[in-house]
Amino acid sequence: MTEESASAPVPVHWKLVIDAHDPHGQADFWAAALGYLAEDNSALVRRLLDAGALPAAATVDFHGRPAFRDLIAVRHPGDPYDADTGTGLGRRLLFQRVPEPKTVKNRLHLDLHPGEGRRDAEVARLRTLGASVLREVAEQGGSWVVMADPEGNEFCVQ
């Protein structure tokens, strides 16, 4: 190992956390939009409930399994995950419940790239999932559709 490779940074494990009024609804939307999977943390939730470390009021039924009431993540289906907790170890979006609604423009957003010639069909599919079109943009550098998810968070489809 060279001195240079010994000091090279290790890739950082990360997730994008998104505030939500309805984290489970957002998880369903974004899992469908991206082809991701909603994480199944039911084994962890059951262990915490059984140990008395989590009150039942902090859980909900999500598609027939116990889940945390105030947060849920979606992950890329090809990425690794911890089988003991159901937590993804790769590309993830985590939705956490907050009491206040979205009030201003996003400072960070996702750009979706469905592929050459597929934008209109993808915009139509996303609308059936609950997204709305905010505007279409055509500039010298390209064109895209600005959309909003069911809670009003902006994203672009190119």
Side-chain angles (χ1 to χ4, degrees):
M1 182 181 298
T2 68
E3 185 176 322
E4 182 178 306
S5 65
S7 64
V10 174
V12 175
H13 176 82
W14 64 273
K15 65 184 165 286
L16 178 62
V17 180
I18 302 171
D19 292 347
H21 176 73
D22 175 8
H24 299 87
Q26 287 292 87
D28 279 341
F29 172 81
W30 283 103
L34 299 173
Y36 275 34
L37 301 171
E39 290 183 352
D40 180 356
N41 303 120
S42 60
L44 175 60
V45 170
R46 285 186 190 102
R47 275 197 310 279
L48 293 172
L49 286 168
D50 291 347
L54 182 70
T59 68
V60 295
D61 179 81
F62 180 65
H63 300 302
R65 60 185 190 247
F68 294 107
R69 183 182 85 84
D70 293 329
L71 57 91
I72 187 167
V74 299
R75 67 175 176 81
H76 187 281
D79 286 352
Y81 66 96
D82 181 328
D84 193 43
T85 65
T87 301
L89 302 172
R91 295 162 278 187
R92 302 172 69 217
L93 301 177
L94 175 73
F95 301 95
Q96 68 178 5
R97 185 181 310 279
V98 296
E100 66 277 356
K102 179 185 173 299
T103 57
V104 297
K105 183 183 182 306
N106 298 10
R107 294 290 304 259
L108 177 75
H109 69 267
L110 298 177
D111 281 353
L112 306 184
H113 302 268
E116 185 69 34
R118 296 182 48 215
R119 183 178 69 202
D120 292 344
E122 185 64 5
V123 166
R125 185 183 77 86
L126 292 165
R127 289 182 74 174
T128 67
L129 295 174
S132 57
V133 172
L134 299 178
R135 66 187 171 282
E136 294 188 24
V137 178
E139 296 180 352
Q140 187 173 356
S143 63
W144 57 92
V145 177
V146 180
M147 300 188 77
D149 72 15
E151 290 198 8
N153 299 301
E154 296 94 358
F155 64 98
C156 297
V157 181
Q158 296 186 335

mmCIF file of all heavy atoms in Angstrom, residues 99-135:
data_model
loop_
_atom_site.group_PDB
_atom_site.id
_atom_site.type_symbol
_atom_site.label_atom_id
_atom_site.label_comp_id
_atom_site.label_asym_id
_atom_site.label_seq_id
_atom_site.Cartn_x
_atom_site.Cartn_y
_atom_site.Cartn_z
ATOM 1 N N PRO A 99 -43.846 18.347 11.874
ATOM 2 C CA PRO A 99 -45.198 18.900 12.027
ATOM 3 C C PRO A 99 -45.538 19.999 11.024
ATOM 4 O O PRO A 99 -46.699 20.172 10.675
ATOM 5 C CB PRO A 99 -45.187 19.459 13.454
ATOM 6 C CG PRO A 99 -43.750 19.739 13.738
ATOM 7 C CD PRO A 99 -42.962 18.702 12.969
ATOM 8 N N GLU A 100 -44.533 20.720 10.556
ATOM 9 C CA GLU A 100 -44.818 21.861 9.694
ATOM 10 C C GLU A 100 -44.867 21.439 8.224
ATOM 11 O O GLU A 100 -44.154 20.535 7.820
ATOM 12 C CB GLU A 100 -43.781 22.976 9.890
ATOM 13 C CG GLU A 100 -42.381 22.619 9.453
ATOM 14 C CD GLU A 100 -41.563 21.834 10.468
ATOM 15 O OE1 GLU A 100 -42.035 21.591 11.588
ATOM 16 O OE2 GLU A 100 -40.445 21.439 10.116
ATOM 17 N N PRO A 101 -45.704 22.109 7.432
ATOM 18 C CA PRO A 101 -45.752 21.815 6.001
ATOM 19 C C PRO A 101 -44.578 22.465 5.272
ATOM 20 O O PRO A 101 -43.931 23.372 5.797
ATOM 21 C CB PRO A 101 -47.073 22.447 5.558
ATOM 22 C CG PRO A 101 -47.267 23.590 6.510
ATOM 23 C CD PRO A 101 -46.687 23.115 7.834
ATOM 24 N N LYS A 102 -44.322 22.011 4.070
ATOM 25 C CA LYS A 102 -43.314 22.637 3.221
ATOM 26 C C LYS A 102 -43.809 24.029 2.874
ATOM 27 O O LYS A 102 -44.956 24.213 2.493
ATOM 28 C CB LYS A 102 -43.113 21.801 1.956
ATOM 29 C CG LYS A 102 -42.088 22.401 1.014
ATOM 30 C CD LYS A 102 -42.021 21.592 -0.259
ATOM 31 C CE LYS A 102 -41.152 22.252 -1.276
ATOM 32 N NZ LYS A 102 -41.608 23.570 -1.688
ATOM 33 N N THR A 103 -42.925 25.029 3.001
ATOM 34 C CA THR A 103 -43.371 26.399 2.760
ATOM 35 C C THR A 103 -42.537 27.154 1.733
ATOM 36 O O THR A 103 -42.982 28.182 1.243
ATOM 37 C CB THR A 103 -43.363 27.215 4.072
ATOM 38 O OG1 THR A 103 -42.048 27.177 4.622
ATOM 39 C CG2 THR A 103 -44.362 26.665 5.063
ATOM 40 N N VAL A 104 -41.331 26.684 1.430
ATOM 41 C CA VAL A 104 -40.474 27.406 0.483
ATOM 42 C C VAL A 104 -39.889 26.434 -0.529
ATOM 43 O O VAL A 104 -39.988 25.220 -0.379
ATOM 44 C CB VAL A 104 -39.332 28.167 1.200
ATOM 45 C CG1 VAL A 104 -39.892 29.235 2.116
ATOM 46 C CG2 VAL A 104 -38.447 27.218 1.963
ATOM 47 N N LYS A 105 -39.246 26.989 -1.535
ATOM 48 C CA LYS A 105 -38.605 26.175 -2.567
ATOM 49 C C LYS A 105 -37.522 25.288 -1.960
ATOM 50 O O LYS A 105 -36.816 25.694 -1.044
ATOM 51 C CB LYS A 105 -37.990 27.100 -3.621
ATOM 52 C CG LYS A 105 -37.356 26.362 -4.781
ATOM 53 C CD LYS A 105 -36.702 27.342 -5.751
ATOM 54 C CE LYS A 105 -36.094 26.663 -6.941
ATOM 55 N NZ LYS A 105 -35.158 25.610 -6.649
ATOM 56 N N ASN A 106 -37.397 24.089 -2.494
ATOM 57 C CA ASN A 106 -36.328 23.180 -2.067
ATOM 58 C C ASN A 106 -34.965 23.812 -2.305
ATOM 59 O O ASN A 106 -34.759 24.479 -3.315
ATOM 60 C CB ASN A 106 -36.330 21.884 -2.894
ATOM 61 C CG ASN A 106 -37.573 21.070 -2.778
ATOM 62 O OD1 ASN A 106 -38.571 21.494 -2.225
ATOM 63 N ND2 ASN A 106 -37.515 19.882 -3.318
ATOM 64 N N ARG A 107 -34.029 23.552 -1.428
ATOM 65 C CA ARG A 107 -32.639 23.940 -1.647
ATOM 66 C C ARG A 107 -31.877 22.786 -2.297
ATOM 67 O O ARG A 107 -30.756 22.947 -2.754
ATOM 68 C CB ARG A 107 -31.971 24.303 -0.315
ATOM 69 C CG ARG A 107 -32.522 25.540 0.353
ATOM 70 C CD ARG A 107 -32.173 26.820 -0.379
ATOM 71 N NE ARG A 107 -30.764 27.008 -0.576
ATOM 72 C CZ ARG A 107 -29.981 27.783 0.119
ATOM 73 N NH1 ARG A 107 -30.475 28.486 1.112
ATOM 74 N NH2 ARG A 107 -28.714 27.886 -0.168
ATOM 75 N N LEU A 108 -32.476 21.627 -2.328
ATOM 76 C CA LEU A 108 -31.880 20.422 -2.881
ATOM 77 C C LEU A 108 -33.012 19.657 -3.549
ATOM 78 O O LEU A 108 -34.124 19.625 -3.025
ATOM 79 C CB LEU A 108 -31.292 19.593 -1.729
ATOM 80 C CG LEU A 108 -30.665 18.261 -2.024
ATOM 81 C CD1 LEU A 108 -29.299 18.464 -2.680
ATOM 82 C CD2 LEU A 108 -30.474 17.482 -0.723
ATOM 83 N N HIS A 109 -32.758 19.076 -4.726
ATOM 84 C CA HIS A 109 -33.814 18.300 -5.369
ATOM 85 C C HIS A 109 -33.206 17.165 -6.186
ATOM 86 O O HIS A 109 -32.020 17.161 -6.474
ATOM 87 C CB HIS A 109 -34.720 19.187 -6.239
ATOM 88 C CG HIS A 109 -34.050 19.722 -7.460
ATOM 89 N ND1 HIS A 109 -33.434 20.944 -7.498
ATOM 90 C CD2 HIS A 109 -33.892 19.194 -8.707
ATOM 91 C CE1 HIS A 109 -32.926 21.137 -8.702
ATOM 92 N NE2 HIS A 109 -33.196 20.095 -9.461
ATOM 93 N N LEU A 110 -34.040 16.216 -6.546
ATOM 94 C CA LEU A 110 -33.630 15.096 -7.382
ATOM 95 C C LEU A 110 -33.901 15.427 -8.841
ATOM 96 O O LEU A 110 -34.907 16.054 -9.162
ATOM 97 C CB LEU A 110 -34.401 13.829 -7.012
ATOM 98 C CG LEU A 110 -34.214 13.293 -5.595
ATOM 99 C CD1 LEU A 110 -35.114 12.087 -5.392
ATOM 100 C CD2 LEU A 110 -32.775 12.945 -5.328
ATOM 101 N N ASP A 111 -33.021 14.978 -9.713
ATOM 102 C CA ASP A 111 -33.233 15.013 -11.160
ATOM 103 C C ASP A 111 -33.404 13.574 -11.609
ATOM 104 O O ASP A 111 -32.536 12.737 -11.329
ATOM 105 C CB ASP A 111 -32.028 15.612 -11.898
ATOM 106 C CG ASP A 111 -31.991 17.122 -11.853
ATOM 107 O OD1 ASP A 111 -32.960 17.743 -11.375
ATOM 108 O OD2 ASP A 111 -30.987 17.694 -12.313
ATOM 109 N N LEU A 112 -34.489 13.277 -12.273
ATOM 110 C CA LEU A 112 -34.736 11.931 -12.787
ATOM 111 C C LEU A 112 -34.421 11.914 -14.274
ATOM 112 O O LEU A 112 -34.818 12.819 -15.005
ATOM 113 C CB LEU A 112 -36.183 11.521 -12.549
ATOM 114 C CG LEU A 112 -36.692 11.619 -11.109
ATOM 115 C CD1 LEU A 112 -38.110 11.083 -11.025
ATOM 116 C CD2 LEU A 112 -35.777 10.927 -10.132
ATOM 117 N N HIS A 113 -33.725 10.891 -14.712
ATOM 118 C CA HIS A 113 -33.325 10.737 -16.119
ATOM 119 C C HIS A 113 -33.887 9.418 -16.649
ATOM 120 O O HIS A 113 -33.220 8.389 -16.570
ATOM 121 C CB HIS A 113 -31.795 10.755 -16.241
ATOM 122 C CG HIS A 113 -31.170 12.000 -15.712
ATOM 123 N ND1 HIS A 113 -30.921 13.091 -16.510
ATOM 124 C CD2 HIS A 113 -30.767 12.345 -14.470
ATOM 125 C CE1 HIS A 113 -30.378 14.045 -15.782
ATOM 126 N NE2 HIS A 113 -30.270 13.625 -14.540
ATOM 127 N N PRO A 114 -35.093 9.421 -17.192
ATOM 128 C CA PRO A 114 -35.709 8.175 -17.635
ATOM 129 C C PRO A 114 -35.102 7.589 -18.909
ATOM 130 O O PRO A 114 -35.348 6.432 -19.223
ATOM 131 C CB PRO A 114 -37.170 8.553 -17.850
ATOM 132 C CG PRO A 114 -37.145 10.013 -18.124
ATOM 133 C CD PRO A 114 -35.989 10.566 -17.334
ATOM 134 N N GLY A 115 -34.330 8.349 -19.641
ATOM 135 C CA GLY A 115 -33.728 7.844 -20.879
ATOM 136 C C GLY A 115 -34.244 8.593 -22.089
ATOM 137 O O GLY A 115 -35.314 9.220 -22.066
ATOM 138 N N GLU A 116 -33.478 8.519 -23.132
ATOM 139 C CA GLU A 116 -33.773 9.226 -24.386
ATOM 140 C C GLU A 116 -35.187 8.924 -24.887
ATOM 141 O O GLU A 116 -35.580 7.766 -25.027
ATOM 142 C CB GLU A 116 -32.749 8.823 -25.447
ATOM 143 C CG GLU A 116 -32.870 9.570 -26.741
ATOM 144 C CD GLU A 116 -32.482 11.042 -26.615
ATOM 145 O OE1 GLU A 116 -31.577 11.352 -25.821
ATOM 146 O OE2 GLU A 116 -33.100 11.864 -27.317
ATOM 147 N N GLY A 117 -35.956 9.977 -25.120
ATOM 148 C CA GLY A 117 -37.290 9.840 -25.691
ATOM 149 C C GLY A 117 -38.358 9.328 -24.729
ATOM 150 O O GLY A 117 -39.480 9.064 -25.154
ATOM 151 N N ARG A 118 -38.035 9.205 -23.441
ATOM 152 C CA ARG A 118 -38.995 8.634 -22.486
ATOM 153 C C ARG A 118 -39.544 9.647 -21.484
ATOM 154 O O ARG A 118 -40.305 9.288 -20.592
ATOM 155 C CB ARG A 118 -38.330 7.468 -21.743
ATOM 156 C CG ARG A 118 -37.961 6.318 -22.669
ATOM 157 C CD ARG A 118 -37.351 5.134 -21.946
ATOM 158 N NE ARG A 118 -38.136 4.768 -20.790
ATOM 159 C CZ ARG A 118 -37.608 4.305 -19.654
ATOM 160 N NH1 ARG A 118 -36.312 4.131 -19.534
ATOM 161 N NH2 ARG A 118 -38.373 3.985 -18.628
ATOM 162 N N ARG A 119 -39.143 10.916 -21.630
ATOM 163 C CA ARG A 119 -39.544 11.912 -20.634
ATOM 164 C C ARG A 119 -41.057 12.060 -20.531
ATOM 165 O O ARG A 119 -41.618 12.029 -19.428
ATOM 166 C CB ARG A 119 -38.903 13.263 -20.920
ATOM 167 C CG ARG A 119 -39.264 14.275 -19.817
ATOM 168 C CD ARG A 119 -38.633 15.617 -20.008
ATOM 169 N NE ARG A 119 -39.228 16.251 -21.170
ATOM 170 C CZ ARG A 119 -38.665 17.212 -21.868
ATOM 171 N NH1 ARG A 119 -37.474 17.654 -21.548
ATOM 172 N NH2 ARG A 119 -39.273 17.733 -22.915
ATOM 173 N N ASP A 120 -41.753 12.219 -21.646
ATOM 174 C CA ASP A 120 -43.199 12.448 -21.596
ATOM 175 C C ASP A 120 -43.932 11.282 -20.950
ATOM 176 O O ASP A 120 -44.844 11.484 -20.139
ATOM 177 C CB ASP A 120 -43.756 12.716 -22.991
ATOM 178 C CG ASP A 120 -43.283 14.048 -23.563
ATOM 179 O OD1 ASP A 120 -42.779 14.890 -22.787
ATOM 180 O OD2 ASP A 120 -43.403 14.242 -24.788
ATOM 181 N N ALA A 121 -43.538 10.076 -21.290
ATOM 182 C CA ALA A 121 -44.169 8.893 -20.684
ATOM 183 C C ALA A 121 -43.880 8.832 -19.184
ATOM 184 O O ALA A 121 -44.747 8.467 -18.384
ATOM 185 C CB ALA A 121 -43.694 7.619 -21.373
ATOM 186 N N GLU A 122 -42.669 9.206 -18.802
ATOM 187 C CA GLU A 122 -42.314 9.191 -17.374
ATOM 188 C C GLU A 122 -43.080 10.256 -16.606
ATOM 189 O O GLU A 122 -43.572 10.007 -15.501
ATOM 190 C CB GLU A 122 -40.805 9.369 -17.187
ATOM 191 C CG GLU A 122 -40.351 9.252 -15.762
ATOM 192 C CD GLU A 122 -40.553 7.886 -15.131
ATOM 193 O OE1 GLU A 122 -40.973 6.926 -15.820
ATOM 194 O OE2 GLU A 122 -40.293 7.767 -13.923
ATOM 195 N N VAL A 123 -43.223 11.438 -17.186
ATOM 196 C CA VAL A 123 -44.008 12.493 -16.545
ATOM 197 C C VAL A 123 -45.448 12.019 -16.364
ATOM 198 O O VAL A 123 -46.047 12.197 -15.296
ATOM 199 C CB VAL A 123 -43.933 13.806 -17.361
ATOM 200 C CG1 VAL A 123 -44.996 14.802 -16.919
ATOM 201 C CG2 VAL A 123 -42.537 14.406 -17.256
ATOM 202 N N ALA A 124 -46.009 11.381 -17.367
ATOM 203 C CA ALA A 124 -47.375 10.865 -17.268
ATOM 204 C C ALA A 124 -47.472 9.799 -16.174
ATOM 205 O O ALA A 124 -48.427 9.790 -15.383
ATOM 206 C CB ALA A 124 -47.826 10.293 -18.616
ATOM 207 N N ARG A 125 -46.489 8.911 -16.093
ATOM 208 C CA ARG A 125 -46.492 7.862 -15.059
ATOM 209 C C ARG A 125 -46.406 8.479 -13.670
ATOM 210 O O ARG A 125 -47.147 8.097 -12.751
ATOM 211 C CB ARG A 125 -45.315 6.908 -15.279
ATOM 212 C CG ARG A 125 -45.295 5.723 -14.325
ATOM 213 C CD ARG A 125 -44.062 4.853 -14.543
ATOM 214 N NE ARG A 125 -42.868 5.446 -13.971
ATOM 215 C CZ ARG A 125 -42.492 5.299 -12.698
ATOM 216 N NH1 ARG A 125 -43.233 4.580 -11.865
ATOM 217 N NH2 ARG A 125 -41.383 5.858 -12.260
ATOM 218 N N LEU A 126 -45.543 9.468 -13.505
ATOM 219 C CA LEU A 126 -45.381 10.112 -12.204
ATOM 220 C C LEU A 126 -46.648 10.853 -11.796
ATOM 221 O O LEU A 126 -47.004 10.887 -10.612
ATOM 222 C CB LEU A 126 -44.177 11.047 -12.229
ATOM 223 C CG LEU A 126 -42.832 10.329 -12.365
ATOM 224 C CD1 LEU A 126 -41.735 11.313 -12.742
ATOM 225 C CD2 LEU A 126 -42.478 9.557 -11.104
ATOM 226 N N ARG A 127 -47.350 11.404 -12.763
ATOM 227 C CA ARG A 127 -48.630 12.066 -12.456
ATOM 228 C C ARG A 127 -49.637 11.056 -11.928
ATOM 229 O O ARG A 127 -50.399 11.362 -11.011
ATOM 230 C CB ARG A 127 -49.175 12.784 -13.682
ATOM 231 C CG ARG A 127 -48.333 14.024 -14.025
ATOM 232 C CD ARG A 127 -48.871 14.759 -15.193
ATOM 233 N NE ARG A 127 -50.085 15.471 -14.730
ATOM 234 C CZ ARG A 127 -50.760 16.312 -15.460
ATOM 235 N NH1 ARG A 127 -50.385 16.552 -16.701
ATOM 236 N NH2 ARG A 127 -51.813 16.922 -14.978
ATOM 237 N N THR A 128 -49.662 9.842 -12.483
ATOM 238 C CA THR A 128 -50.594 8.825 -11.970
ATOM 239 C C THR A 128 -50.238 8.409 -10.548
ATOM 240 O O THR A 128 -51.101 7.940 -9.808
ATOM 241 C CB THR A 128 -50.652 7.570 -12.866
ATOM 242 O OG1 THR A 128 -49.403 6.890 -12.808
ATOM 243 C CG2 THR A 128 -51.011 7.915 -14.297
ATOM 244 N N LEU A 129 -48.960 8.604 -10.138
ATOM 245 C CA LEU A 129 -48.538 8.275 -8.776
ATOM 246 C C LEU A 129 -48.842 9.402 -7.788
ATOM 247 O O LEU A 129 -48.675 9.228 -6.581
ATOM 248 C CB LEU A 129 -47.031 7.988 -8.749
ATOM 249 C CG LEU A 129 -46.558 6.767 -9.532
ATOM 250 C CD1 LEU A 129 -45.042 6.699 -9.539
ATOM 251 C CD2 LEU A 129 -47.166 5.493 -8.954
ATOM 252 N N GLY A 130 -49.254 10.563 -8.296
ATOM 253 C CA GLY A 130 -49.605 11.673 -7.414
ATOM 254 C C GLY A 130 -48.759 12.918 -7.576
ATOM 255 O O GLY A 130 -48.962 13.901 -6.861
ATOM 256 N N ALA A 131 -47.812 12.916 -8.495
ATOM 257 C CA ALA A 131 -46.999 14.111 -8.742
ATOM 258 C C ALA A 131 -47.779 15.093 -9.610
ATOM 259 O O ALA A 131 -48.743 14.724 -10.282
ATOM 260 C CB ALA A 131 -45.696 13.722 -9.438
ATOM 261 N N SER A 132 -47.332 16.340 -9.591
ATOM 262 C CA SER A 132 -47.954 17.343 -10.449
ATOM 263 C C SER A 132 -46.861 18.074 -11.228
ATOM 264 O O SER A 132 -45.721 18.168 -10.791
ATOM 265 C CB SER A 132 -48.769 18.337 -9.618
ATOM 266 O OG SER A 132 -47.951 18.948 -8.637
ATOM 267 N N VAL A 133 -47.252 18.569 -12.392
ATOM 268 C CA VAL A 133 -46.333 19.349 -13.224
ATOM 269 C C VAL A 133 -46.411 20.799 -12.775
ATOM 270 O O VAL A 133 -47.500 21.376 -12.713
ATOM 271 C CB VAL A 133 -46.685 19.225 -14.722
ATOM 272 C CG1 VAL A 133 -45.846 20.182 -15.559
ATOM 273 C CG2 VAL A 133 -46.495 17.785 -15.193
ATOM 274 N N LEU A 134 -45.254 21.381 -12.449
ATOM 275 C CA LEU A 134 -45.198 22.791 -12.073
ATOM 276 C C LEU A 134 -44.923 23.672 -13.279
ATOM 277 O O LEU A 134 -45.526 24.724 -13.431
ATOM 278 C CB LEU A 134 -44.137 23.022 -11.000
ATOM 279 C CG LEU A 134 -44.353 22.273 -9.684
ATOM 280 C CD1 LEU A 134 -43.207 22.557 -8.722
ATOM 281 C CD2 LEU A 134 -45.693 22.648 -9.062
ATOM 282 N N ARG A 135 -43.981 23.228 -14.119
ATOM 283 C CA ARG A 135 -43.669 23.993 -15.325
ATOM 284 C C ARG A 135 -42.747 23.176 -16.218
ATOM 285 O O ARG A 135 -42.073 22.262 -15.775
ATOM 286 C CB ARG A 135 -43.039 25.341 -14.995
ATOM 287 C CG ARG A 135 -41.676 25.263 -14.347
ATOM 288 C CD ARG A 135 -41.185 26.646 -13.900
ATOM 289 N NE ARG A 135 -39.990 26.546 -13.106
ATOM 290 C CZ ARG A 135 -39.917 26.200 -11.832
ATOM 291 N NH1 ARG A 135 -41.019 25.905 -11.180
ATOM 292 N NH2 ARG A 135 -38.769 26.150 -11.201
#
